[in-house]
């Protein structure tokens, strides 16, 4: 079924009785050409591009819960291409271009909104660093504008510019940055993959990975054994557990990241604003809620809920930056399990087991990567070769020293 | 989450700095192969369940602590001093 304005109109006339489920609910087959473990954003986009770009349609996505129940439905939806390092730059640039054509490609409204992202700076040194980052973005072919204080004031008059600890010197504006509706992205890719014949199998937890003579032969699941010569592990915060089923020990530590949303308000914040010095960022959803968050809770956790010190810290940072939000009521807070890598950058690579591939290490920034990650993981699984824009996301780069340390803080688990 | 420091008693999580899994206590020998250093610095069991990790009582006694805790429930099971000398002193 194609979605369109006309379809919405005609369905409205006839009692909305013509809508059908957006994807099938198939039972697992005994064997597939390829299996993707994990039905989050990255797993679903991988399946979609395997089918669309490489014609592989006898494939399955195995999801232990329901589609979109993981981080893909828990993030704060920021989409941007403001990376600095070669290796990251071209990848996120590719991803943003895919975002820009995504709704037409998927025939699905993911509410991608390029409302502009502003990263604030608070000192001369930080201004230099942002100018340099902006130049890297422009060299990559993306957009960046350095705003001075008055430039920021014209766009964000409600900020507290005079705060004594972090007075606002200016900001880096990335006009093509913005937000999207997170679960719609999962649903859009799911529907697109299903339409091309991919089996999306929910309530199917992978409990073992079968390896014979160094080659993957299939997986064990709560719905029986399934054979496949190619298996992709795409399970975000659970990467260490699933990789351990094949005897692998990953450079990943799982941490919680919290987020918050207020009651719905009239439009008041038009952009995505990032206040890095205070570990705070905010945007307003199309429903009107202020969506905001901060930093990790900073210790390994699988609890999917955070602790109060970070709640307090985020609220304080928000009040410091924009005291006007003090009267908004917080509706909910939640946490997601982040697959943190030592250098803060991801992995899309083969593993030492033949036919077994892994896509992980997305840290707190894997939402914007959903299109390009699926694109590149599909390329890797179909051709056996890394995609050009993801060739530096290797699993062994920590051993060889080819780090992608975007923040420049070092290659250590507790620093990102 | 609160941690009970063997020297200072039960304290707010904010007094502690998190370092990471206790792999850091098993430093490879000087001539160990590169793979051993890679394991030591980067690769982790990252368990969903019981784990032992290192915390520094930054705003307290300044001791390194080995904390047994559950990463799924956030229950803290045991807190020990890392330094053996200090450990003896703290336990007498
Ligand atoms: C609070 C918060 C805010 C964030 N904000 C942003 C942001 O603004 N911008 C941004 O770019 N990124 C953001 N992120 C990061 C982003 O959400 C993640 O990096 C990304 O969603 C992870 O990839 P995924 O969608 O595939 O993960 P998930 O949706 O978690 O998918 C993994 C799936 O694997 C399944 N699975 C696990 N184990 C098994 C098994 N054994 N068998 C079968 N299935 C299994 C899980 O059930 C899950 O559905 C944020 C994350 C959080 C938590
Ligand atoms: Zn102490």
């Amino acid at each position: 079924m194609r979605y369109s304005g006309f379809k919405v109109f005609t369905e409205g006339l006839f009692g909305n009785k013509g809508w059908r489920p957006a994807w099938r609910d198939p039972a697992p087959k005994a064997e597939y050409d390829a299996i993707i473990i994990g039905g989050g954003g990255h797993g679903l986009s991988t399946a979609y591009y395997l089918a669309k770009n490489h014609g592989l349609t006898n494939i399955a996505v195995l999801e232990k819960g329901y589609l979109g129940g993981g981080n893909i439905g828990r993030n704060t939806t920021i989409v941007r291409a403001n990376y600095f390092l070669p290796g990251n730059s071209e990848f996120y640039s590719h991803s943003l271009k895919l975002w820009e054509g995504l709704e037409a490609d998927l025939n699905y409204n993911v509410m991608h909104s390029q409302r502009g992202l502003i990263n604030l700076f608070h000192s001369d040194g930080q201004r230099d660093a942002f100018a340099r980052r902006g130049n890297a973005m422009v060299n990559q072919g993306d957009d960046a504008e350095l705003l001075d204080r008055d430039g920021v004031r014209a766009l964000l008059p409600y900020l507290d510019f005079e705060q004594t600890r972090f007075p606002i010197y200016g900001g880096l504006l990335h006009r093509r940055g913005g937000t999207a509706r997170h679960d719609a992205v999962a649903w859009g890719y799911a529907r697109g993959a299903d339409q091309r014949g991919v089996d999306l199998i929910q309530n199917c937890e992978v409990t073992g990975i079968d390896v014979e003579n160094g080659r993957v032969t299939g997986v064990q699941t709560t719905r029986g054994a399934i054979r496949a010569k190619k298996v992709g592990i795409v399970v975000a915060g659970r990467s260490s557990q699933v990789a351990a089923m094949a005897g692998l020990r990953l450079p990943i530590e799982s941490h919680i990241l919290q987020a918050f949303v207020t009651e719905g308000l009239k439009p008041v914040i038009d952009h995505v604003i990032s206040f890095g010095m205070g570990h705070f960022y905010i945007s307003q959803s199309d429903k009107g809620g202020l969506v905001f968050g901060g930093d990790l809770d900073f210790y390994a956790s699988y609890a999917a809920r955070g602790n109060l010190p970070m709640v307090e810290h985020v609220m304080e940072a928000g009040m410091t930056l924009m005291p006007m939000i003090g009267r908004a009521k917080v509706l909910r807070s939640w946490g997601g399990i982040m697959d943190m890598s030592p250098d803060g950058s991801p992995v899309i690579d083969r593993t030492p087991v033949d036919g077994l591939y892994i896509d992980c290490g997305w840290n707190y920034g894997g939402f914007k990567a959903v299109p390009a990650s699926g694109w590149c993981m599909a390329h890797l699984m179909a051709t056996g070769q890394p995609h050009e824009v993801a060739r530096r996301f290797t699993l062994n780069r920590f051993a060889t020293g080819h780090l992608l340390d975007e923040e420049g803080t070092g290659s250590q688990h507790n620093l990102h | 989450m609160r941690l009970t420091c063997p020297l200072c008693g039960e304290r707010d999580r904010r007094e502690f700095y998190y370092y990471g899994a206790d792999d850091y206590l098993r430093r490879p020998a000087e001539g160990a192969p590169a793979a051993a250093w890679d394991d030591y610095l980067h690769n982790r069991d990252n368990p969903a369940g019981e784990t032992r990790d290192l915390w520094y009582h930054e705003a307290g006694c300044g001791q390194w602590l080995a904390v047994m805790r559950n990463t799924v429930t956030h229950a803290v099971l045991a807190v020990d001093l890392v330094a053996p000398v200090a450990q003896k002193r703290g336990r007498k």
Side-chain angles (χ1 to χ4, degrees), chain A residues 69 78 129 181 369 408:
Chain A
I78 299 168
R181 165 131 190 229

Side-chain angles (χ1 to χ4, degrees), chain A residues 37-42 62-64 70-72 74-78 204-206 234-236 238 242 257-259 281 336 338 362-368:
Chain A
I37 310 175
H42 294 241
L62 309 182
E63 165 55 47
K64 75 170 175 184
N71 287 331
I72 187 67
R74 290 168 177 267
N75 64 74
T76 44
T77 79
I78 299 168
C204 181
E205 178 171 355
V206 171
V234 195
V235 294
R238 293 279 170 176
V242 176
L257 181 68
Q258 301 195 61
Y281 63 95
M338 322 293 350
W362 292 99
N363 296 270
Y364 27 68
F367 179 64
K368 61 183 167 296

Side-chain angles (χ1 to χ4, degrees), chain B residues 5 7-8 57 60-61:
Chain B
C5 171
L7 300 184
C8 311
H57 199 177
C61 59

Side-chain angles (χ1 to χ4, degrees), chain A residues 249 300-302 307 312 413, chain B residues 1 14 23 42 45-46 74:
Chain A
R249 201 163 173 261
S301 169
Y302 286 85
N307 249 301
E312 188 174 28
H413 280 290
Chain B
M1 189 165 78
R14 277 169 285 201
D23 297 52
H42 306 124
D45 288 340
N46 192 24
H74 287 171

